Amino acid sequence: MRAKVAATRRGDVGTRPLQCKPFSVLLREAVASTDPPVVGVLMGSSSDWETLQHAAAILAEFGVPHECRVVSAHRMPDDMFAYAQGAAARGLKALIAGAGGAAHLPGMLAAKTVVPVLGVPVASRHLQGVDSLHSIVQMPKGVPVATFAIGAAGAANAALFAVAMLANQDPTLRSRLENYRAAQTAAARAMTQDLK
Ligand code: RP5
């Protein structure tokens, strides 16, 4: 049991090990995937990758085809609008969008597509991401952005949420998600033993 718990803490869940690769390799693989992406992982800057790579890692673990792009709301607004406007036609089922500071990216993407947008507040230097959180979560009525926790946990949970949405139509994915949850539960139950 302890070996299984240790494995789970290392990142092994379900029947397959989580990928533990350098950011650069993971990003290159995600971008280079030949399968049509069903999830877009978007960020306002490459400096957000440290956070958003946790979303990409989860999608890779579950075998969900995805693409990772820098699409800045304020530095490349035309590109951002073009991406959002083409998302549904390209077969994207969810957009995970992370940004920091006055984080417009998730809300502006949502303004230009009906594909669900999952917002990830990136921790900012001066306000530790509280500014990002408020910017993303406080969407006025009519254009929702599902908002997650600040930082890596939020990025991972946004990806798990995307997996859960896709699993509604995909029994294989649902089974993987159930295995993931079961492994997590087993790890938590075994934690008491480690206190002794
Ligand atoms: C936002 O500004 C990005 O999402 C990033 O979190 C923040 C800082 O960007 P850089 O100055 O690091 O490029 O647009």
Side-chain angles (χ1 to χ4, degrees):
M1 175 59 82
R2 277 179 189 265
K4 187 173 180 184
V5 171
T8 303
R9 287 196 180 137
R10 269 202 320 273
D12 296 356
V13 293
T15 54
R16 293 182 301 140
L18 271 174
Q19 293 183 5
C20 295
K21 298 178 179 176
F23 297 168
S24 56
V25 174
L26 202 54
L27 178 59
R28 193 164 58 245
E29 286 182 354
V31 170
S33 170
T34 52
D35 295 328
V38 294
V39 176
V41 179
L42 310 170
M43 60 212 89
S45 168
S46 59
S47 65
D48 297 330
W49 177 242
E50 188 176 342
T51 300
L52 271 298
Q53 59 95 15
H54 295 283
I58 291 284
L59 296 172
E61 160 63 10
F62 279 89
V64 174
H66 59 284
E67 62 185 11
C68 302
R69 302 252 181 105
V70 172
V71 187
S72 171
H74 63 283
R75 288 180 278 212
M76 40 198 292
D78 295 338
D79 303 51
M80 177 194 63
F81 280 150
Y83 187 94
Q85 284 178 309
R90 291 181 56 228
L92 292 164
K93 305 296 186 211
L95 304 182
I96 296 172
H104 305 306
L105 178 60
M108 293 308 291
L109 287 167
K112 296 294 268 185
T113 182
V114 295
V115 173
V117 176
L118 316 182
V120 179
V122 172
S124 53
R125 194 182 320 146
H126 298 295
L127 296 176
Q128 289 75 52
V130 173
D131 45 352
S132 323
L133 172 65
H134 289 173
S135 298
I136 296 172
V137 78
Q138 285 296 99
M139 284 297 286
K141 180 182 176 184
V143 180
V145 170
T147 307
F148 292 82
I150 298 169
N157 277 347
L160 288 168
F161 199 88
V163 169
M165 287 197 298
L166 296 167
N168 280 324
Q169 316 294 332
D170 186 336
T172 303
L173 209 48
R174 169 155 288 169
S175 165
R176 286 180 193 162
L177 189 53
E178 286 169 351
N179 287 345
Y180 182 94
R181 290 285 189 93
Q184 201 165 234
T185 298
R189 284 190 179 133
M191 284 177 184
T192 302
Q193 291 179 324
D194 292 347
L195 302 178
K196 294 167 189 165

